[in-house]
Amino acid sequence: AVGKLAEALERLGNDWDYRISDPTRSPNPHVRERYAFLWKPDRVILQGRPYLMTEVDPEVHREPYIGIFQAVNGSLTILNYHSRTHEDEREVEMEEIAAITQQLKQFEPSDILWLGDFNLSQQHPAFLAVKKLGYRPLFSEQKTTLKTTCKDGNYLSSEEDNIFYKSHQLKVLSTDVVDFMRNKDCHTLAEWRKIYSDHLPLEVRLAR
């Protein structure tokens, strides 16, 4: 599916490359996942091979997928992450965030993005430690998940996805939520969830 996506993007006129992770080491095989990176090779160059952060096993069920990309004026480290689901205890999710936060120090002093589905609001105390390290969330009080039913045009559920950012050289030009439900008929929510996702994508534009 990721390969087909890259082919579809290339039909728009640019070259794209991609990498897919090994399955995460989740103890429950039903929640194992694979991450992916897609990028334009004429804009950034992948350094080495992306890899799963195995240092946080077994505390983290779906360990982050790390990619380091070289641009013209420096590198960017990206941690792609999906936390445990709501069926797990909030204390366990906090332990996951704490374990990954401890590992972030190894990537200093590069520019870093830690992004994905955290299943927690950035206002949660679990993120106090990473904020003390100088990271800041690029979205605040922004609901990104979709309800199962839509009523009176209200289709957004909760704030769970975000991009945590720490930079020494990069500047944030803009952030946006790709709201594919905006201006859609409320009764088509189930159809759009099936076509796209039950989460809205997040976008950030960076520059040096």
Side-chain angles (χ1 to χ4, degrees):
V2 177
K4 291 180 179 179
L5 175 58
E7 291 175 359
L9 289 168
E10 288 188 340
R11 287 196 290 272
L12 299 177
N14 294 100
D15 290 332
W16 288 79
D17 202 351
Y18 65 93
R19 294 292 185 276
I20 303 170
S21 75
D22 292 331
T24 55
R25 300 185 181 186
S26 313
N28 182 349
H30 297 292
V31 298
R32 288 178 185 164
E33 294 184 1
R34 301 182 105 166
Y35 300 98
F37 287 118
L38 294 97
W39 70 93
K40 294 179 181 178
D42 65 334
R43 301 298 297 274
V44 295
I45 298 173
L46 177 66
Q47 294 184 328
R49 292 182 59 184
Y51 60 95
L52 292 172
M53 182 188 279
T54 57
E55 298 94 329
V56 293
D57 293 337
E59 291 93 342
V60 178
H61 279 192
R62 289 180 287 219
E63 58 272 32
Y65 188 41
I66 301 169
I68 302 175
F69 297 87
Q70 181 69 38
V72 174
N73 297 319
S75 64
L76 175 65
T77 300
I78 302 177
L79 285 78
N80 197 346
Y81 172 62
H82 185 188
S83 79
R84 299 193 193 192
T85 62
H86 291 299
E87 285 74 20
D88 292 314
E89 295 292 332
R90 279 286 189 249
E91 290 77 10
V92 178
E93 293 180 13
M94 292 178 65
E95 291 175 3
E96 284 205 351
I97 299 299
I100 297 171
T101 299
Q102 286 295 318
Q103 294 296 324
L104 288 175
K105 300 173 184 177
Q106 67 178 291
F107 302 111
E108 297 285 358
S110 62
D111 297 311
I112 304 168
L113 295 179
W114 181 14
L115 50 85
D117 177 4
F118 294 89
N119 278 314
L120 289 173
S121 165
Q122 59 84 24
Q123 301 178 61
H124 195 280
F127 297 108
L128 289 177
V130 76
K131 290 177 180 178
K132 287 181 179 179
L133 290 178
Y135 290 80
R136 63 184 181 91
L138 293 184
F139 297 85
S140 178
E141 299 182 5
Q142 173 61 60
K143 295 180 178 179
T144 54
T145 62
L146 300 179
K147 295 182 176 181
T148 55
T149 58
C150 179
K151 184 178 181 181
D152 298 328
N154 183 11
Y155 52 86
L156 291 176
S157 178
S158 57
E159 176 188 3
E160 297 181 4
D161 306 276
N162 218 311
I163 300 172
F164 284 85
Y165 158 83
K166 184 174 184 179
S167 176
H168 300 272
Q169 296 180 335
L170 288 174
K171 295 181 180 179
V172 177
L173 299 182
S174 65
T175 59
D176 195 15
V177 179
V178 184
D179 189 350
F180 52 80
M181 272 302 299
R182 186 177 292 132
N183 301 322
K184 299 290 194 309
D185 188 324
C186 195
H187 299 293
T188 64
L189 175 61
E191 179 182 352
W192 286 104
R193 280 171 53 102
K194 186 180 298 184
I195 294 174
Y196 287 108
S197 173
D198 59 345
H199 290 249
L200 298 179
L202 299 179
E203 177 184 286
V204 58
R205 295 182 66 238
L206 304 169
R208 284 189 169 85

